[in-house]
């Protein structure tokens, strides 16, 4: 069996400032990665950009996408069929489609329904990897940081409405820590080079508490000496993922959510995989779709896909659980995060402002792979305990608005004899003819992961691409032409027509909070949502205290493949992640609007409500708390 395996160790470019890494008297000169703009585009990129940015462009309907997959016959197969609609899978679909290949993608649940919607929301280079690189003289780890920092800036530039730079404060409780963190984060700046977001700097105690009022001046028997603030990126992860899927669809890929691969189609003579048997989980319909190469981008479930091809295949996933909690906004100031590099047990804990609330985490522990992972109370309590040491306010379990768990698919070399080969980088392999697997890595590097997977697929199927990878400088749908001040147009030119409980239609102000939310969530397409709010009387907020509008439900059903209530409350909006109880209160209206859009009968509506309630119960808000030890009451 032919095997191709490659750990992504990104090539280093020839232009950049040299970095001198000093450890134990040793010096290693390194260069940052650099990519010439001329090597990443040309007329082909301009054509794709124009297609995606075209205001008249319409995402094909779900029925049209399924028809395209059904039409991929043995005589006229797809070039690539992608399994998995997370960040990597949708990235593969976009990359392949923009290279002129014929592409299809199927996702068992919804785009970003797995790990890609349950991330830390950070776009980061990996400060901890840099520390390991220096102290272990590990050139491989350093290359990982170079690569991630390059991709960090590009993710932000390619989805400017959904991503931004975020300052992160690191508390120091003695002068050694202050010097250590300052030097380490200055090195982080230096490694970023031209891809730097903003320079890190030291703040005194007084300056620190002015910037972060809830920061404690004392940690038990230690006094705060000062803080070091550095910058990484932050994103609305599932909306970036949905943007990838919709951008791929406009570029020509046939993307289909709620569609599951149930078996592979194989050539009788060569045993090569030539397609898949697919079941539409909404209609129950089954069909065959043929492809020259199948790309397995199923994240934590990639071993399950590999076993469909060969039941004896050696596993390559070592799953790790990451738990996060969401707290009210007063826990952290707007625009400043807090990161503790090393807690009592050595784990990193962070607290970041996110979509008007505070997200905190994370744990890192072994877990089993399940479709809907749940956080346990011990992990939630660990996060609350860790925060107590660094805040001057009481950290209460009753303040937890939502808590969720995500599974990190850490990758191993399937040929290795032990687990020492576990990598934070990604792995591309073809351990069965016609099936290319891409797994591992992290959100920050999804684009280059997809590039590697498509390169491997082209090699496997001897495919003829019309051009090289174009995604480096390709903005996602809604990103081209967006400006941070775009929300002012919405606030000035639109009103929110609201239907009262008595059935009367009354006008409402397109206030700043709603206008900013729409602008950041939908980019240049926000005006389409505002038009629905104004012209179809869907301008009411779905939940008190949150900017999500009824119009968004209709828009997402029409233009973003929103096929269920869970799709909306969890991934098109982030209400389930921000406030589980608020999502429950919004649920009846969400179902009512989706029922009108998708022509659901009463039976389907009841099933949607039941499914969503069961889903929300896995988000351990204070209402669903299972421990009351008196420590966080």
């Amino acid at each position: 069996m032919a095997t191709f395996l490659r750990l992504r160790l990104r090539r280093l470019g020839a232009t950049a400032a040299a970095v001198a890494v000093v450890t134990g008297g040793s010096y290693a000169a390194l260069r940052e990665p650099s990519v010439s703009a001329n090597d990443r585009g040309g007329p082909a990129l301009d054509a794709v950009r124009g297609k995606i940015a075209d205001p008249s462009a319409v995402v094909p309907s779900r029925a049209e996408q399924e028809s395209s997959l059904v039409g991929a016959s043995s005589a006229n197969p797809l070039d690539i069929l992608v399994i998995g609609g997370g960040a990597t899978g949708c990235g593969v679909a976009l990359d392949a489609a923009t290279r002129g290949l014929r592409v299809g993608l199927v996702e068992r649940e919804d785009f970003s329904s797995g790990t890609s919607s349950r991330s830390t929301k950070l776009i980061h280079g990996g400060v901890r990897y840099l520390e390991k690189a220096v102290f272990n003289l590990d050139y491989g780890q350093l290359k990982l940081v170079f690569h991630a920092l390059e991709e960090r800036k590009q993710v932000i530039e390619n989805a400017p409405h959904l991503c931004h730079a975020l300052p992160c404060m690191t508390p120091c409780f003695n002068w050694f820590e202050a010097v250590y963190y300052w030097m380490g984060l200055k090195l982080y700046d230096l490694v970023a080079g031209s891809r730097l977001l903003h320079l890190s700097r030291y703040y005194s105690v007084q300056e620190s508490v002015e910037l972060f009022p809830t920061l404690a001046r004392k940690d038990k028997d230690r006094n705060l000496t000062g803080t070091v603030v550095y910058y990484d990126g932050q994103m609305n992860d599932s909306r970036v993922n949905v943007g990838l899927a919709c951008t791929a669809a406009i570029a020509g890929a046939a993307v289909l959510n709620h569609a599951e691969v149930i078996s592979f189609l194989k050539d009788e003579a060569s045993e090569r995989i030539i397609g898949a048997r697919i079941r539409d989980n909404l209609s129950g319909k089954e069909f065959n779709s043929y492809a020259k190469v199948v790309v397995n981008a199923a994240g934590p479930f990639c071993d399950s896909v590999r076993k469909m091809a060969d039941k004896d295949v050696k596993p390559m996933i070592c799953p790790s659980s990451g738990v996060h909690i969401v707290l009210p906004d007063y826990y952290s100031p707007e625009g400043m995060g807090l990161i503790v590099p090393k807690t009592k047990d050595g784990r990193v804990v962070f607290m970041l402002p996110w979509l008007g609330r505070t997200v905190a985490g994370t744990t890192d522990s072994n877990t089993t792979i399940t479709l809907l992972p749940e956080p346990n109370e011990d992990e939630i309590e660990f996060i609350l305990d860790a925060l107590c040491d660094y805040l001057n306010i009481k950290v209460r379990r009753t303040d937890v608005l939502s808590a969720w768990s995500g599974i990190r698919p850490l990758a191993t070399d399937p040929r290795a004899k032990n687990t020492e080969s576990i990598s934070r980088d990604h792995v591309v392999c073809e351990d069965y003819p016609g099936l290319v697997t891409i797994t591992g890595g992290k959100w920050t590097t999804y684009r280059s992961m997809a590039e590697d997977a498509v390169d491997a697929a082209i090699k496997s199927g001897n495919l003829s691409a019309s051009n090289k990878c174009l995604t480096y400088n390709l903005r996602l749908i809604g990103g081209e032409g967006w400006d941070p001040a775009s929300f002012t147009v919405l606030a000035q030119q639109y009103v929110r027509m609201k239907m009262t409980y008595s059935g009367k239609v009354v006008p409402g102000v397109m206030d700043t909070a709603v206008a900013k939310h729409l602008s950041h969530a939908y980019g240049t397409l926000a005006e389409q949502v505002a038009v629905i709010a104004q012209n179809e009387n869907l301008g009411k907020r779905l939940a008190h205290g949150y900017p999500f509008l009824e119009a968004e439900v209709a828009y997402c059903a029409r233009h973003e493949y929103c096929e269920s209530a869970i799709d909306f409350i969890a991934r098109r909006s982030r209400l389930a992640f921000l406030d589980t109880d608020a999502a429950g209160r919004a649920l009846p209206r969400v179902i009512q609007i989706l029922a009108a859009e998708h022509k659901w009968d009463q039976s389907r509506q009841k099933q949607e409500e039941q499914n969503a309630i069961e889903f929300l119960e896995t988000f351990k808000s204070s209402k669903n708390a299972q421990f009351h030890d008196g420590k966080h009451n």
Side-chain angles (χ1 to χ4, degrees):
M1 180 185 299
T3 301
F4 165 76
L5 184 140
R6 176 151 54 105
L7 287 178
R8 175 70 175 190
L9 293 177
R10 195 74 172 154
R11 58 190 174 278
L12 300 181
T15 59
V19 178
V21 178
V22 185
T23 25
S26 300
Y27 294 79
L30 301 169
R31 296 174 184 268
E32 73 166 49
S34 176
V35 181
S36 168
N38 296 328
D39 296 334
R40 291 285 190 174
L45 177 59
D46 292 338
V48 171
R49 279 177 173 167
K51 191 174 183 180
I52 293 169
D54 185 352
S56 64
V58 178
V59 175
S61 69
R62 188 174 186 278
E64 290 174 306
Q65 300 289 53
E66 183 168 316
S67 179
S68 296
L69 290 171
V70 172
S73 63
S74 57
N76 185 29
L78 299 168
D79 288 312
I80 296 175
L81 174 65
V82 184
I83 302 173
T88 306
C90 289
V92 169
L94 176 59
D95 188 308
T98 54
R99 295 199 205 194
L101 298 173
R102 190 174 171 218
V103 188
L105 178 147
V106 291
E107 160 59 44
R108 175 172 55 183
E109 297 295 327
D110 180 33
F111 307 120
S112 195
S113 60
T115 305
S116 295
S117 64
R118 297 166 179 266
S119 74
T120 62
K121 322 304 176 195
L122 282 174
I123 315 166
H124 63 99
V127 174
R128 285 181 299 163
Y129 306 151
L130 181 60
E131 184 180 37
K132 291 178 183 177
V134 172
F135 284 101
N136 298 334
L137 290 177
D138 189 335
Y139 184 62
Q141 289 277 0
L142 186 56
K143 291 174 79 175
L144 284 176
V145 179
F146 271 128
H147 173 216
L149 287 171
E150 179 184 21
E151 292 295 328
R152 177 189 70 175
K153 186 69 178 291
Q154 212 54 46
V155 172
I156 295 172
E157 290 181 356
N158 287 348
H161 55 305
L162 294 165
C163 308
H164 61 273
L166 177 72
C168 300
M169 180 176 283
T170 300
C172 309
F173 290 94
N174 56 56
W175 286 111
F176 172 79
E177 285 188 352
V179 173
Y180 180 80
Y181 290 137
W182 182 85
M183 290 181 63
L185 293 169
K186 282 299 177 185
L187 181 59
Y188 193 57
D189 292 347
L190 193 59
V191 172
S194 63
R195 314 302 286 169
L196 179 71
L197 298 179
H198 297 284
L199 281 170
S200 61
R201 62 158 291 185
Y202 174 80
Y203 287 92
S204 68
V205 174
Q206 185 60 37
E207 290 173 321
S208 300
V209 296
E210 288 175 2
L211 289 169
F212 207 111
T214 54
L215 181 65
R217 289 174 179 258
K218 276 191 174 185
D219 173 21
K220 294 183 179 177
D221 57 342
R222 302 188 301 169
N223 292 321
L224 185 69
T225 304
T227 63
V228 181
V229 173
Y230 74 101
Y231 286 77
D232 260 328
Q234 190 180 48
M235 65 174 160
N236 187 338
D237 52 4
S238 72
R239 285 216 54 84
V240 175
N241 200 155
V242 170
L244 280 167
C246 293
T247 307
I250 288 178
V255 298
L256 190 68
N257 55 351
H258 300 285
E260 182 177 1
V261 170
I262 54 178
S263 64
F264 283 125
L265 307 174
K266 297 181 181 179
D267 181 85
E268 293 182 2
S270 66
E271 284 292 303
R272 181 182 174 87
I273 290 174
I274 55 172
R277 182 76 176 170
I278 299 167
R279 178 173 60 233
D280 183 336
N281 286 331
L282 298 180
S283 66
K285 174 185 175 182
E286 293 185 7
F287 58 90
N288 292 338
S289 189
Y290 289 83
K292 297 173 184 175
V293 182
V294 175
V295 173
N296 171 16
F301 302 96
C302 78
D303 281 340
S304 299
V305 174
R306 294 168 69 232
K307 286 179 181 178
M308 281 197 288
D310 178 3
K311 64 179 180 7
D312 297 322
V313 72
K314 187 175 180 179
M316 61 188 298
I317 293 295
C318 289
S320 171
S321 171
V323 170
H324 303 78
I325 64 174
V326 172
L327 300 163
D329 56 351
Y330 56 73
Y331 272 83
S332 63
E334 183 180 356
M336 179 65 75
L338 181 72
I339 293 188
V340 180
K342 194 169 289 186
T343 57
K344 296 167 188 171
D345 67 352
R347 288 187 279 190
V348 175
V349 167
F350 63 81
M351 194 171 70
L352 312 170
W354 183 64
L355 300 182
R357 296 294 177 263
T358 300
V359 61
T362 177
T363 62
D364 190 357
S365 54
N366 294 332
T367 188
T368 56
I369 298 175
T370 58
L371 192 60
L372 200 57
E374 298 184 34
N376 63 52
E377 292 294 340
D378 289 341
E379 293 172 311
I380 295 173
E381 187 177 4
F382 162 77
I383 296 171
L384 296 175
D385 280 341
L387 295 180
C388 283
D389 294 336
Y390 298 93
L391 300 181
N392 59 18
I393 59 174
K394 191 166 186 177
V395 181
R396 306 181 301 180
R397 179 63 175 90
T398 51
D399 285 339
V400 176
L401 302 172
S402 181
W404 73 87
S405 176
I407 301 174
R408 301 184 185 98
L410 302 181
T412 62
D413 182 338
R415 301 170 299 183
K417 296 180 180 179
N418 55 54
T419 58
E420 291 178 1
S421 62
I422 293 174
S423 174
R424 293 282 176 170
D425 202 355
H426 64 272
V427 175
V428 180
C429 67
E430 184 181 11
D431 48 11
Y432 197 94
L435 179 65
V436 172
T437 295
I438 170 76
T439 192
K442 58 184 178 181
W443 237 117
T444 306
T445 57
Y446 85 86
R447 190 209 62 81
S448 64
M449 290 169 63
E451 182 180 349
D452 285 350
V454 176
D455 287 345
I458 289 173
K459 181 178 179 181
S460 171
N462 195 25
L463 308 178
S464 298
S466 58
N467 46 260
K468 294 182 179 180
C469 176
L470 299 178
T471 58
Y472 189 81
N473 289 314
L474 184 65
R475 286 192 169 174
L476 302 188
I477 185 172
E480 195 68 52
W482 180 84
D483 184 88
S486 297
F487 76 93
T488 58
V489 175
L490 301 176
Q492 291 178 342
Q493 298 185 7
Y494 294 92
V495 296
R496 297 189 288 124
M497 301 304 294
K498 302 182 287 186
M499 183 83 70
T500 66
Y501 290 111
S502 62
K504 184 180 179 181
V505 177
V506 296
V509 175
M510 185 69 75
D511 55 271
T512 301
V514 169
K516 281 186 174 180
H517 156 66
L518 294 179
S519 178
H520 282 282
Y522 303 93
T524 57
L525 303 178
E527 287 192 56
Q528 296 184 25
V529 185
V531 167
I532 296 173
Q534 179 173 276
N535 296 349
E536 300 182 31
N537 305 328
L538 292 174
K540 187 184 291 186
R541 294 187 186 217
L542 287 165
H544 179 70
Y546 293 90
F548 307 109
L549 301 184
E550 294 174 336
E552 295 179 67
V553 186
Y555 176 85
C556 293
R558 297 170 194 175
H559 303 293
E560 291 189 353
Y561 304 114
C562 179
E563 303 296 331
S564 75
I566 296 174
D567 289 355
F568 183 82
I569 62 174
R571 294 173 287 272
R572 302 309 183 281
S573 75
R574 309 313 310 275
L575 198 49
F577 285 81
L578 289 169
D579 190 330
T580 306
D581 298 339
R585 292 192 295 272
L587 188 58
R589 183 58 175 148
V590 170
I591 292 174
Q592 189 178 36
I593 298 170
L594 286 175
E597 294 293 327
H598 292 312
K599 306 295 187 291
W600 290 345
D601 59 19
Q602 286 296 321
S603 174
R604 173 67 187 273
Q605 292 180 55
K606 287 181 180 178
Q607 187 62 52
E608 284 291 325
E609 182 178 22
Q610 181 181 336
N611 292 346
I613 289 173
E614 291 175 358
F615 175 80
L616 290 174
E617 286 176 352
T618 68
F619 287 70
K620 303 300 182 182
S621 68
S622 57
K623 182 179 177 181
N624 296 327
Q626 295 168 356
F627 84 92
H628 298 281
D629 58 2
K631 290 172 63 178
H632 303 290
N633 295 338

